[in-house]
Amino acid sequence: MTSLVRIIGAALTLGVVGLPHVAQATETRLRTCLSAGETRETLQTMKLLPPYRAVDEAGRGMPGESVGIKLCRLNQQMVYDVTILRHDGHLVHMLVDATTGTLMPPRPGS
């Protein structure tokens, strides 16, 4: 049993075996969403599209009802994370470029 623990520990250390939550934690650090106050301030200082435009664009990409929107920084790019409630009851997150208004490709695993 002890040798199995050592083998798994060595594999994790060498990166042979991956952990899904480690990749997710890395992505979380790369995407930082702003508070409501930070969003208002950022909209005033940067030339970003208003949130309703992002909701419209996300609605064109995924049928359903928009139930939430957040302004986030993703790898130095400002994006809107629009949450859509699909007709089948599933929640889907659509990313819209906050500068251009274009729908971004879905992230792997989403």
Side-chain angles (χ1 to χ4, degrees):
M1 184 70 168
T2 317
S3 58
L4 179 61
V5 171
R6 287 184 185 157
I7 291 170
I8 292 172
L12 289 172
T13 303
L14 295 173
V16 176
V17 177
L19 293 176
H21 67 276
V22 172
Q24 186 177 14
T26 303
E27 182 178 329
T28 303
R29 276 188 239 124
L30 297 175
R31 188 181 92 185
T32 307
C33 295
L34 283 61
S35 69
E38 292 170 324
T39 297
R40 280 190 297 275
E41 183 178 316
T42 303
L43 284 170
Q44 290 176 356
T45 59
M46 299 178 75
K47 293 183 180 184
L48 301 178
L49 296 173
Y52 74 87
R53 295 270 308 274
V55 169
D56 289 346
E57 187 62 32
R60 282 192 271 280
M62 177 69 59
E65 181 179 344
S66 172
V67 294
I69 185 167
K70 297 183 283 187
L71 181 62
C72 304
R73 184 173 290 110
L74 178 65
N75 296 330
Q76 306 303 320
Q77 180 181 9
M78 298 307 291
V79 298
Y80 285 110
D81 181 347
V82 182
T83 305
I84 305 276
L85 176 61
R86 294 189 328 194
H87 299 296
D88 62 3
H90 288 90
L91 289 174
V92 178
H93 291 270
M94 306 290 290
L95 296 180
V96 178
D97 186 307
T99 306
T100 64
T102 57
L103 195 59
M104 299 176 67
R107 297 175 300 185
S110 62

